[in-house]
Amino acid sequence: MKRIAYSELNAVEHWLDVIDPATTDVIAKVSAGTAHDVDVSVRRAQAAFPTWSKLPNAERARWLEKLADALEARIPEFAEAETRDTGKPLWLTREIEIPRAVANLRFFAHAATQFASESHHGQAGLNYTLRQPQGVVGVISPWNMPLLLFTWKLAPALAAGNCVIAKPSEVTPLTAQMLAELTHDIDFPEGVLNIVHGLGQTVGQAMVDHPGIKAISFTGSTAVGQRIAQSCARQLKKCSLELGGKNAALIFADAPKHTLYEHIVRAAFQNTGQICLCGSRLLVERRFYDEFRETFIARATHHLVGDPLAEGTYFGPLVSQAHFDKVMSYLDLARDEGARIVAGGQRVDIPGRCAKGWFVAPTILEGLGPSCRTNQEEIFGPIVTLQAFDDEDEALAMANATPYGLSASVWTEHLSRAHRMAAGIDAGIVWINTWMQRDLRTPFGGMKQSGLGREGGLEAMRFFTEPKNVCIGV
Ligand code: NAD
């Protein structure tokens, strides 16, 4: 069994199990880091900062490209590790998630050389803005897209000239550790990227509280995000929060039918519903409801739930026993709230090596109103609800009727309606006739309980730098 230490600096006293959710076998041990480990890493990062931050931008870009090359050369190995750690089907990790981690590193390598700041003149002197790195920054990521989200945060932090303390989720630490090993293989500068494994309430909290860490970029649940925001507020520490969602898909009768069902099945159930952007509330125009319902059920239940390593598997298991219990408890709640289960609604037994895995069938519910808990709270599993609306106003009111505001999708061929809906939806990201198409230059993040601030492109470069205005009297 593989044992993963946080670094070679300290002897590891406590280990956490890493579990394959498809089999429930313990496949590795990860060190349970401590506040002391965070402190040692911060001091290493502080020592590395003067040299790293003064490198020419093109040179920092070359290091990120080098890391991207090393990762790209080992995509199959990383994909298999990600699949074993998360239960995601191999096609998803091999074709989408690990290549996206490579793309993140390359994108921000380019950003390092393209990032520029403003100058203002003509009213009061000549002003220019310096954008300087913060120093040592912390990034904390969740389990649902482990390497993709980890690189999405650490790449802009490094590109902007910061040194980084990075904590992956303790639930899925394998590929973060493999990335750390890659940095050794390519002789990445010492102390610049420091990966500390461990629990959120110890390592994560120690990062948030550490006075040497100047900014925190966090992706995870709203509850933890709120705690981090409180801790950061006490210290006036900068934080960026990418949190939960309860996203709506607004499906009008004139939706483009040739691609609609394929997209909606993905939006509802990809990664077994464990994507913050999944559309878990399907709002359907009443005159199209019956037709949509019938075809959607047929298309969603046609895909195979099973061994994530097997070719042909479309849906894998939920990530952990705790998460499986949470999702199953929402099925009980939905029944208590009066839901009719029109598809799924139960555990799936997979024969063979996955007999103990945490598999749940794609589940479609109807008969619930917008204000019930099932339609208000983030479940983060393969459970969606169907609700009917009569007109645009009602669709918008239903879409906006949750505390969250991360993303939404609108399905219509009516051009001006699409724009009206996009403008009226309270969400940081709106897709029209598509889902989860991402241009890495665009701002990414949520409103309301879905977060604070934006990541992506120049927004991330801005977050990880401090603007300083310089005014020259002329
Ligand atoms: P989580 O909040 O439980 O944990 C996220 C990370 O925070 C983990 O690394 C964890 O160890 C750490 N953590 C926990 N307590 C902490 C503390 N007190 N201080 C500092 N760090 C702490 O979330 P999760 O269960 O890993 O991930 C699922 C959640 O993430 C869902 O709510 C999902 O919507 C959200 N998410 C949001 C986005 C987005 O971009 N908005 C993307 C992916 C996931």
Side-chain angles (χ1 to χ4, degrees), residues 47-67:
F49 178 70
T51 307
W52 177 252
S53 59
K54 287 192 182 63
L55 281 184
N57 294 348
E59 200 138 323
R60 281 202 302 279
R62 263 198 296 280
W63 278 114
L64 287 174
E65 287 279 14
K66 211 169 166 186
L67 190 56

Short mmCIF file of all heavy atoms in Angstrom, two decimals, residues 47-67:
data_model
loop_
_atom_site.label_atom_id
_atom_site.label_comp_id
_atom_site.label_asym_id
_atom_site.label_seq_id
_atom_site.Cartn_x
_atom_site.Cartn_y
_atom_site.Cartn_z
N ALA A 47 11.19 31.75 2.35
CA ALA A 47 12.60 31.77 1.94
C ALA A 47 12.72 31.75 0.41
O ALA A 47 13.63 32.34 -0.17
CB ALA A 47 13.33 30.58 2.56
N ALA A 48 11.76 31.06 -0.24
CA ALA A 48 11.83 30.94 -1.70
C ALA A 48 11.28 32.17 -2.42
O ALA A 48 11.62 32.40 -3.59
CB ALA A 48 11.03 29.70 -2.15
N PHE A 49 10.43 32.93 -1.72
CA PHE A 49 9.69 34.01 -2.39
C PHE A 49 10.57 35.07 -3.08
O PHE A 49 10.30 35.43 -4.24
CB PHE A 49 8.72 34.68 -1.39
CG PHE A 49 7.97 35.82 -1.98
CD1 PHE A 49 6.98 35.61 -2.95
CD2 PHE A 49 8.24 37.13 -1.59
CE1 PHE A 49 6.29 36.68 -3.51
CE2 PHE A 49 7.57 38.20 -2.16
CZ PHE A 49 6.59 37.97 -3.12
N PRO A 50 11.61 35.60 -2.42
CA PRO A 50 12.37 36.68 -3.09
C PRO A 50 12.89 36.26 -4.46
O PRO A 50 12.80 37.02 -5.43
CB PRO A 50 13.51 36.97 -2.10
CG PRO A 50 12.98 36.52 -0.77
CD PRO A 50 12.12 35.33 -1.06
N THR A 51 13.41 35.05 -4.57
CA THR A 51 13.97 34.61 -5.85
C THR A 51 12.86 34.35 -6.87
O THR A 51 12.91 34.79 -8.01
CB THR A 51 14.80 33.32 -5.65
OG1 THR A 51 15.75 33.57 -4.62
CG2 THR A 51 15.51 32.90 -6.92
N TRP A 52 11.82 33.61 -6.44
CA TRP A 52 10.73 33.24 -7.37
C TRP A 52 10.01 34.50 -7.89
O TRP A 52 9.76 34.63 -9.09
CB TRP A 52 9.75 32.31 -6.66
CG TRP A 52 8.56 31.92 -7.48
CD1 TRP A 52 7.28 32.33 -7.31
CD2 TRP A 52 8.53 31.02 -8.60
NE1 TRP A 52 6.46 31.76 -8.24
CE2 TRP A 52 7.20 30.94 -9.06
CE3 TRP A 52 9.52 30.28 -9.26
CZ2 TRP A 52 6.81 30.15 -10.14
CZ3 TRP A 52 9.13 29.49 -10.35
CH2 TRP A 52 7.79 29.44 -10.77
N SER A 53 9.74 35.43 -6.98
CA SER A 53 8.95 36.60 -7.40
C SER A 53 9.76 37.52 -8.32
O SER A 53 9.19 38.29 -9.09
CB SER A 53 8.45 37.37 -6.18
OG SER A 53 9.54 37.79 -5.39
N LYS A 54 11.09 37.42 -8.22
CA LYS A 54 11.92 38.32 -9.06
C LYS A 54 12.32 37.67 -10.38
O LYS A 54 12.94 38.33 -11.22
CB LYS A 54 13.16 38.74 -8.28
CG LYS A 54 12.83 39.75 -7.19
CD LYS A 54 14.07 40.39 -6.60
CE LYS A 54 13.75 41.36 -5.49
NZ LYS A 54 13.11 40.73 -4.32
N LEU A 55 11.97 36.42 -10.56
CA LEU A 55 12.27 35.80 -11.86
C LEU A 55 11.54 36.57 -12.95
O LEU A 55 10.42 37.04 -12.74
CB LEU A 55 11.73 34.36 -11.90
CG LEU A 55 12.52 33.25 -11.22
CD1 LEU A 55 11.81 31.91 -11.49
CD2 LEU A 55 13.95 33.20 -11.70
N PRO A 56 12.14 36.69 -14.13
CA PRO A 56 11.37 37.27 -15.24
C PRO A 56 10.11 36.44 -15.46
O PRO A 56 10.11 35.22 -15.29
CB PRO A 56 12.33 37.12 -16.44
CG PRO A 56 13.69 36.95 -15.83
CD PRO A 56 13.50 36.31 -14.50
N ASN A 57 9.02 37.12 -15.83
CA ASN A 57 7.74 36.42 -16.02
C ASN A 57 7.88 35.22 -16.96
O ASN A 57 7.28 34.17 -16.75
CB ASN A 57 6.68 37.37 -16.58
CG ASN A 57 6.35 38.46 -15.59
OD1 ASN A 57 6.72 38.37 -14.42
ND2 ASN A 57 5.64 39.48 -16.03
N ALA A 58 8.67 35.42 -18.01
CA ALA A 58 8.82 34.35 -18.99
C ALA A 58 9.47 33.11 -18.37
O ALA A 58 9.20 31.98 -18.78
CB ALA A 58 9.65 34.84 -20.17
N GLU A 59 10.29 33.34 -17.37
CA GLU A 59 10.95 32.20 -16.73
C GLU A 59 9.97 31.43 -15.83
O GLU A 59 9.96 30.21 -15.81
CB GLU A 59 12.14 32.69 -15.92
CG GLU A 59 13.10 31.58 -15.65
CD GLU A 59 14.53 32.06 -15.82
OE1 GLU A 59 14.78 32.87 -16.74
OE2 GLU A 59 15.35 31.63 -15.03
N ARG A 60 9.13 32.18 -15.09
CA ARG A 60 8.10 31.49 -14.31
C ARG A 60 7.17 30.72 -15.25
O ARG A 60 6.75 29.61 -14.96
CB ARG A 60 7.29 32.50 -13.48
CG ARG A 60 8.00 32.94 -12.22
CD ARG A 60 7.02 33.48 -11.19
NE ARG A 60 6.24 34.60 -11.70
CZ ARG A 60 6.67 35.86 -11.76
NH1 ARG A 60 7.88 36.16 -11.31
NH2 ARG A 60 5.91 36.80 -12.24
N ALA A 61 6.88 31.34 -16.39
CA ALA A 61 6.02 30.66 -17.38
C ALA A 61 6.69 29.37 -17.84
O ALA A 61 6.02 28.33 -17.99
CB ALA A 61 5.78 31.59 -18.58
N ARG A 62 8.01 29.40 -18.02
CA ARG A 62 8.71 28.18 -18.48
C ARG A 62 8.60 27.07 -17.45
O ARG A 62 8.44 25.90 -17.78
CB ARG A 62 10.17 28.49 -18.79
CG ARG A 62 10.40 28.75 -20.29
CD ARG A 62 11.86 28.64 -20.68
NE ARG A 62 12.69 29.65 -20.04
CZ ARG A 62 12.79 30.92 -20.47
NH1 ARG A 62 12.13 31.31 -21.53
NH2 ARG A 62 13.57 31.77 -19.84
N TRP A 63 8.67 27.43 -16.15
CA TRP A 63 8.53 26.40 -15.11
C TRP A 63 7.14 25.76 -15.15
O TRP A 63 6.98 24.54 -15.01
CB TRP A 63 8.82 26.97 -13.73
CG TRP A 63 10.27 27.04 -13.43
CD1 TRP A 63 11.03 28.16 -13.25
CD2 TRP A 63 11.16 25.92 -13.29
NE1 TRP A 63 12.34 27.81 -13.01
CE2 TRP A 63 12.45 26.44 -13.03
CE3 TRP A 63 11.00 24.54 -13.36
CZ2 TRP A 63 13.56 25.64 -12.83
CZ3 TRP A 63 12.11 23.72 -13.17
CH2 TRP A 63 13.37 24.27 -12.92
N LEU A 64 6.12 26.61 -15.36
CA LEU A 64 4.75 26.06 -15.41
C LEU A 64 4.59 25.18 -16.65
O LEU A 64 3.94 24.13 -16.60
CB LEU A 64 3.72 27.19 -15.40
CG LEU A 64 3.55 27.89 -14.05
CD1 LEU A 64 2.61 29.09 -14.17
CD2 LEU A 64 3.00 26.93 -12.99
N GLU A 65 5.18 25.60 -17.75
CA GLU A 65 5.13 24.79 -18.98
C GLU A 65 5.85 23.45 -18.75
O GLU A 65 5.39 22.41 -19.22
CB GLU A 65 5.80 25.52 -20.16
CG GLU A 65 5.01 26.68 -20.71
CD GLU A 65 3.89 26.25 -21.67
OE1 GLU A 65 3.55 25.06 -21.71
OE2 GLU A 65 3.35 27.15 -22.35
N LYS A 66 6.95 23.51 -18.04
CA LYS A 66 7.72 22.29 -17.79
C LYS A 66 6.88 21.31 -16.95
O LYS A 66 6.85 20.10 -17.21
CB LYS A 66 9.01 22.66 -17.03
CG LYS A 66 10.17 21.77 -17.34
CD LYS A 66 11.45 22.36 -16.76
CE LYS A 66 12.50 21.26 -16.79
NZ LYS A 66 13.74 21.63 -16.13
N LEU A 67 6.18 21.87 -15.96
CA LEU A 67 5.31 21.02 -15.14
C LEU A 67 4.17 20.46 -15.99
O LEU A 67 3.81 19.28 -15.88
CB LEU A 67 4.78 21.84 -13.96
CG LEU A 67 4.06 21.09 -12.85
CD1 LEU A 67 4.93 19.98 -12.25
CD2 LEU A 67 3.65 22.06 -11.72
#
